[in-house]
Every structure is written in C-alpha cells, then in structure tokens.
Amino acid sequence: MKQRILFVCLGNICRSPAAEAMLRRLVESEGLGDVIEVDSAGTYGGHRGERSDVRMRRAAAARGIEMTHLARQVREEDFELFDKVIAMDDNNYEALFRLAPDRRAQQKIFRFKEYLRRHTDWSYIPDPYYEGHEGFELVLDLLEDGCATLLDEIR
Ligand code: 4NP
C-alpha cells in the first residue's frame, strides 16, 4: 500500500518543501517512487502559491535537489489524505494538533526530530528564514539525516 507523507513547517517555503524534495529524490533514486507519495504544507497561509524561498532553493540545488513546490496551507482534510504528518518544530506540532479533527488524526502527527539518528542534539528543525546561509545548510544536514531514516522505514 502506498505510504503518504506530509511534511509541515510554518511558511511552507523553506523547511518542509526541502524535506519533500529530498525524500522524493531519495525514494526515486531507489526506484521506490511508486510506493510513496510526498507533499508539504505550512501552518501559516501567508505565502500560499509562492515558490520556495530562493535561498533554500539554491542551497538545495547545490546538493542536487530541485524544489518545485508551490506553498499551500495545511487543511483538515490532509489528515484523511496522508498517513504521516511530520512537523518540523514544536509550534508546527501544536498547530497541527489543534487542527486535527479527532484522535485518529492526532495519532498521525509526528515530529521530524524523531527521525534524526546522527543529530540527536537537535529537538527540532530550526526556522532558517531570518538566518544566513549556514541556517539553510544546517536545515539540509538535518533533513538528510531524517529523510535517510524515513527511507529505511519505507524500504
Ligand atoms: P519555513 O520558514 O516555515 O521553513 O517555510 C519560514 C518562512 C516564512 C516565514 C517564517 C518561516 N514567515 O514568517 O513569513
């Protein structure tokens, strides 16, 4: 059965679309593109319809990852459409918890930090929006770590 994963951050222009593009590239490189569906969304809708932040796109492109997502806000029906809804930080997690219509939906919410194996000193994926280049590189390092774990789970 197809696994459907939704990554969620605040604006859906930095962290979650990068996670989406990274996991998609990983599964496709393993020939597993058919067994997983991956998407991303933001708890805040102010950037809806926009391409990802150019700083995030450039940093991802330097690692061979192309980001084509257009931002959208997470909605209640996402809890029907996805098996796992993975929050980048605690604020996103709490916003998702409030949006979830019932207990079954709440049980689909996870924190990205649960998938970190090498960067265990991080308890969330830090918002890079007001950071310099290193902030974006750190996000990608953390996402690589967690996406490798997710790929292992899918395999
Ligand atoms: P993201 O980063 O949640 O990783 O997409 C942000 C993007 C935009 C804003 C905050 C964080 N903002 O305040 O507009």
Side-chain angles (χ1 to χ4, degrees):
M1 210 174 63
K2 212 166 188 168
Q3 260 245 51
R4 295 158 306 170
I5 295 177
L6 181 70
F7 292 111
V8 175
C9 60
L10 176 60
N12 192 217
I13 55 172
C14 297
R15 294 166 290 176
S16 64
E20 175 200 335
M22 188 179 288
L23 184 60
R24 183 176 294 120
R25 196 190 60 144
L26 277 176
V27 296
E28 283 174 0
S29 71
E30 299 269 324
L32 295 169
D34 290 347
V35 304
I36 176 178
E37 193 175 303
V38 53
D39 193 9
S40 65
T43 58
Y44 165 67
H47 293 281
R48 68 168 70 81
E50 292 178 20
R51 294 200 64 187
S52 300
D53 189 298
V54 67
R55 298 165 296 172
M56 190 81 254
R57 278 191 275 136
R58 285 197 184 127
R63 300 189 191 204
I65 298 159
E66 192 195 359
M67 294 173 62
T68 57
H69 183 77
L70 298 181
R72 74 170 179 89
Q73 191 168 19
V74 65
R75 42 189 183 253
E76 198 180 307
E77 72 187 51
D78 285 319
F79 291 102
E80 285 299 318
L81 300 173
F82 293 91
D83 304 303
K84 277 195 168 88
V85 180
I86 303 179
M88 292 291 149
D89 64 32
D90 286 347
N91 286 333
N92 313 147
Y93 185 89
E94 280 153 25
L96 286 168
F97 217 80
R98 286 192 294 272
L99 180 67
D102 53 32
R103 176 112 190 92
R104 190 171 157 267
Q106 287 172 347
Q107 285 169 343
K108 293 183 171 186
I109 310 171
F110 299 85
R111 288 179 172 86
F112 194 89
K113 71 147 187 205
E114 294 171 38
Y115 303 95
L116 296 176
R117 286 188 296 208
R118 288 182 290 114
H119 301 82
T120 48
D121 45 337
W122 281 97
S123 59
Y124 61 98
I125 309 305
D127 183 347
Y129 196 65
Y130 297 104
E131 302 293 330
H133 182 68
E134 320 77 57
F136 290 86
E137 292 299 329
L138 172 63
V139 165
L140 290 171
D141 290 344
L142 295 171
L143 295 181
E144 275 176 4
D145 188 353
C147 284
T149 310
L150 278 161
L151 178 66
D152 284 345
E153 275 190 9
I154 293 156
R155 267 201 292 243

Short mmCIF file of all heavy atoms in Angstrom, two decimals, residues 57-84:
data_model
loop_
_atom_site.label_atom_id
_atom_site.label_comp_id
_atom_site.label_asym_id
_atom_site.label_seq_id
_atom_site.Cartn_x
_atom_site.Cartn_y
_atom_site.Cartn_z
N ARG A 57 16.11 27.20 -2.16
CA ARG A 57 16.21 26.52 -3.46
C ARG A 57 17.66 26.43 -3.91
O ARG A 57 18.08 25.40 -4.45
CB ARG A 57 15.39 27.27 -4.52
CG ARG A 57 13.91 26.92 -4.47
CD ARG A 57 13.19 27.45 -5.68
NE ARG A 57 12.78 28.83 -5.51
CZ ARG A 57 12.91 29.78 -6.43
NH1 ARG A 57 13.44 29.51 -7.61
NH2 ARG A 57 12.50 30.99 -6.19
N ARG A 58 18.41 27.50 -3.70
CA ARG A 58 19.82 27.50 -4.13
C ARG A 58 20.64 26.51 -3.32
O ARG A 58 21.47 25.78 -3.87
CB ARG A 58 20.42 28.90 -4.02
CG ARG A 58 19.92 29.79 -5.11
CD ARG A 58 20.81 31.05 -5.27
NE ARG A 58 20.20 31.91 -6.29
CZ ARG A 58 19.92 33.19 -6.12
NH1 ARG A 58 20.21 33.79 -4.97
NH2 ARG A 58 19.38 33.88 -7.08
N ALA A 59 20.42 26.50 -2.01
CA ALA A 59 21.17 25.59 -1.14
C ALA A 59 20.84 24.14 -1.50
O ALA A 59 21.72 23.27 -1.52
CB ALA A 59 20.87 25.88 0.32
N ALA A 60 19.56 23.87 -1.78
CA ALA A 60 19.16 22.51 -2.15
C ALA A 60 19.74 22.13 -3.51
O ALA A 60 20.24 21.01 -3.69
CB ALA A 60 17.63 22.39 -2.16
N ALA A 61 19.70 23.07 -4.46
CA ALA A 61 20.21 22.78 -5.81
C ALA A 61 21.69 22.41 -5.75
O ALA A 61 22.15 21.54 -6.51
CB ALA A 61 19.99 23.99 -6.72
N ALA A 62 22.43 23.05 -4.83
CA ALA A 62 23.87 22.75 -4.70
C ALA A 62 24.08 21.31 -4.25
O ALA A 62 25.16 20.76 -4.42
CB ALA A 62 24.51 23.72 -3.71
N ARG A 63 23.03 20.69 -3.67
CA ARG A 63 23.11 19.28 -3.28
C ARG A 63 22.36 18.38 -4.26
O ARG A 63 22.06 17.23 -3.97
CB ARG A 63 22.54 19.08 -1.87
CG ARG A 63 23.28 19.87 -0.81
CD ARG A 63 22.84 19.50 0.58
NE ARG A 63 23.38 20.45 1.56
CZ ARG A 63 23.58 20.18 2.84
NH1 ARG A 63 23.27 18.98 3.31
NH2 ARG A 63 24.07 21.09 3.65
N GLY A 64 22.03 18.97 -5.42
CA GLY A 64 21.39 18.17 -6.47
C GLY A 64 19.89 17.97 -6.28
O GLY A 64 19.29 17.09 -6.88
N ILE A 65 19.28 18.83 -5.46
CA ILE A 65 17.85 18.67 -5.18
C ILE A 65 17.09 19.84 -5.77
O ILE A 65 17.33 21.01 -5.42
CB ILE A 65 17.60 18.61 -3.66
CG1 ILE A 65 18.32 17.38 -3.07
CG2 ILE A 65 16.11 18.56 -3.34
CD1 ILE A 65 18.56 17.50 -1.59
N GLU A 66 16.14 19.53 -6.64
CA GLU A 66 15.35 20.57 -7.27
C GLU A 66 14.03 20.75 -6.52
O GLU A 66 13.33 19.77 -6.26
CB GLU A 66 15.05 20.18 -8.73
CG GLU A 66 14.50 21.33 -9.53
CD GLU A 66 13.86 20.89 -10.85
OE1 GLU A 66 13.88 19.68 -11.13
OE2 GLU A 66 13.34 21.76 -11.55
N MET A 67 13.72 21.98 -6.16
CA MET A 67 12.48 22.26 -5.43
C MET A 67 11.49 22.98 -6.34
O MET A 67 11.75 24.10 -6.78
CB MET A 67 12.80 23.13 -4.20
CG MET A 67 13.65 22.41 -3.16
SD MET A 67 14.17 23.49 -1.81
CE MET A 67 12.60 23.98 -1.11
N THR A 68 10.35 22.36 -6.58
CA THR A 68 9.36 22.93 -7.50
C THR A 68 8.02 23.22 -6.81
O THR A 68 7.08 23.68 -7.44
CB THR A 68 9.08 21.96 -8.67
OG1 THR A 68 8.65 20.70 -8.12
CG2 THR A 68 10.32 21.75 -9.51
N HIS A 69 7.95 22.91 -5.52
CA HIS A 69 6.68 23.03 -4.78
C HIS A 69 6.16 24.47 -4.77
O HIS A 69 6.93 25.42 -4.70
CB HIS A 69 6.92 22.56 -3.34
CG HIS A 69 5.70 22.56 -2.48
ND1 HIS A 69 4.73 21.58 -2.58
CD2 HIS A 69 5.28 23.41 -1.52
CE1 HIS A 69 3.78 21.84 -1.69
NE2 HIS A 69 4.09 22.94 -1.04
N LEU A 70 4.84 24.62 -4.80
CA LEU A 70 4.20 25.91 -4.57
C LEU A 70 3.52 25.84 -3.20
O LEU A 70 2.81 24.86 -2.90
CB LEU A 70 3.16 26.21 -5.65
CG LEU A 70 3.70 26.32 -7.09
CD1 LEU A 70 2.58 26.63 -8.06
CD2 LEU A 70 4.80 27.39 -7.19
N ALA A 71 3.75 26.87 -2.39
CA ALA A 71 3.30 26.83 -0.99
C ALA A 71 1.79 26.71 -0.88
O ALA A 71 1.02 27.27 -1.67
CB ALA A 71 3.78 28.08 -0.26
N ARG A 72 1.37 25.98 0.14
CA ARG A 72 -0.05 25.87 0.47
C ARG A 72 -0.20 25.72 1.99
O ARG A 72 0.76 25.36 2.67
CB ARG A 72 -0.70 24.70 -0.25
CG ARG A 72 -0.33 23.30 0.30
CD ARG A 72 -1.23 22.28 -0.34
NE ARG A 72 -0.98 20.91 0.08
CZ ARG A 72 -1.56 20.32 1.13
NH1 ARG A 72 -2.36 21.00 1.92
NH2 ARG A 72 -1.31 19.06 1.42
N GLN A 73 -1.38 26.01 2.47
CA GLN A 73 -1.63 25.88 3.90
C GLN A 73 -2.19 24.49 4.20
O GLN A 73 -2.96 23.94 3.40
CB GLN A 73 -2.64 26.95 4.34
CG GLN A 73 -2.76 27.06 5.86
CD GLN A 73 -3.52 28.30 6.29
OE1 GLN A 73 -4.25 28.90 5.50
NE2 GLN A 73 -3.35 28.69 7.53
N VAL A 74 -1.80 23.95 5.34
CA VAL A 74 -2.32 22.64 5.74
C VAL A 74 -3.82 22.78 6.03
O VAL A 74 -4.28 23.84 6.46
CB VAL A 74 -1.53 22.10 6.96
CG1 VAL A 74 -1.73 22.94 8.19
CG2 VAL A 74 -1.84 20.65 7.23
N ARG A 75 -4.59 21.74 5.74
CA ARG A 75 -6.04 21.79 5.98
C ARG A 75 -6.51 20.49 6.61
O ARG A 75 -5.81 19.48 6.56
CB ARG A 75 -6.80 22.08 4.67
CG ARG A 75 -6.27 21.32 3.49
CD ARG A 75 -6.88 21.77 2.16
NE ARG A 75 -6.34 20.91 1.10
CZ ARG A 75 -5.46 21.30 0.21
NH1 ARG A 75 -5.02 22.55 0.20
NH2 ARG A 75 -4.99 20.47 -0.70
N GLU A 76 -7.68 20.55 7.19
CA GLU A 76 -8.18 19.41 7.96
C GLU A 76 -8.19 18.14 7.14
O GLU A 76 -7.87 17.06 7.64
CB GLU A 76 -9.57 19.74 8.51
CG GLU A 76 -10.00 18.85 9.64
CD GLU A 76 -11.39 19.19 10.17
OE1 GLU A 76 -11.63 20.38 10.50
OE2 GLU A 76 -12.22 18.27 10.24
N GLU A 77 -8.56 18.23 5.88
CA GLU A 77 -8.67 17.01 5.06
C GLU A 77 -7.31 16.34 4.83
O GLU A 77 -7.26 15.18 4.43
CB GLU A 77 -9.35 17.31 3.72
CG GLU A 77 -8.49 18.09 2.76
CD GLU A 77 -9.25 18.53 1.50
OE1 GLU A 77 -10.33 19.11 1.65
OE2 GLU A 77 -8.73 18.32 0.41
N ASP A 78 -6.22 17.06 5.09
CA ASP A 78 -4.90 16.42 4.97
C ASP A 78 -4.76 15.22 5.90
O ASP A 78 -4.02 14.29 5.61
CB ASP A 78 -3.77 17.42 5.23
CG ASP A 78 -3.56 18.39 4.08
OD1 ASP A 78 -3.61 17.93 2.92
OD2 ASP A 78 -3.34 19.58 4.33
N PHE A 79 -5.49 15.25 7.01
CA PHE A 79 -5.41 14.12 7.94
C PHE A 79 -6.10 12.88 7.38
O PHE A 79 -5.85 11.78 7.84
CB PHE A 79 -6.02 14.50 9.30
CG PHE A 79 -5.20 15.52 10.04
CD1 PHE A 79 -5.58 16.85 10.07
CD2 PHE A 79 -4.03 15.15 10.68
CE1 PHE A 79 -4.81 17.79 10.74
CE2 PHE A 79 -3.25 16.08 11.35
CZ PHE A 79 -3.65 17.40 11.38
N GLU A 80 -6.97 13.06 6.39
CA GLU A 80 -7.57 11.93 5.68
C GLU A 80 -6.64 11.44 4.58
O GLU A 80 -6.50 10.25 4.33
CB GLU A 80 -8.91 12.34 5.04
CG GLU A 80 -10.04 12.50 6.01
CD GLU A 80 -10.34 11.19 6.74
OE1 GLU A 80 -10.33 10.13 6.09
OE2 GLU A 80 -10.55 11.24 7.96
N LEU A 81 -6.00 12.40 3.90
CA LEU A 81 -5.23 12.09 2.70
C LEU A 81 -3.85 11.51 3.00
O LEU A 81 -3.26 10.86 2.14
CB LEU A 81 -5.05 13.35 1.84
CG LEU A 81 -6.35 14.01 1.34
CD1 LEU A 81 -6.05 15.34 0.67
CD2 LEU A 81 -7.05 13.06 0.37
N PHE A 82 -3.29 11.76 4.19
CA PHE A 82 -1.92 11.34 4.50
C PHE A 82 -1.88 10.37 5.68
O PHE A 82 -2.75 10.40 6.54
CB PHE A 82 -1.04 12.57 4.77
CG PHE A 82 -0.84 13.41 3.52
CD1 PHE A 82 -1.71 14.45 3.22
CD2 PHE A 82 0.19 13.12 2.62
CE1 PHE A 82 -1.57 15.19 2.05
CE2 PHE A 82 0.34 13.86 1.45
CZ PHE A 82 -0.54 14.90 1.17
N ASP A 83 -0.85 9.51 5.67
CA ASP A 83 -0.66 8.54 6.75
C ASP A 83 0.17 9.13 7.89
O ASP A 83 -0.03 8.79 9.04
CB ASP A 83 0.07 7.29 6.22
CG ASP A 83 -0.68 6.69 5.06
OD1 ASP A 83 -1.86 6.35 5.23
OD2 ASP A 83 -0.08 6.56 3.97
N LYS A 84 1.16 9.95 7.49
CA LYS A 84 2.03 10.59 8.48
C LYS A 84 2.09 12.07 8.16
O LYS A 84 2.33 12.45 7.02
CB LYS A 84 3.47 10.04 8.34
CG LYS A 84 3.74 8.74 9.03
CD LYS A 84 5.27 8.55 9.11
CE LYS A 84 5.61 7.42 10.04
NZ LYS A 84 5.64 6.13 9.38
#
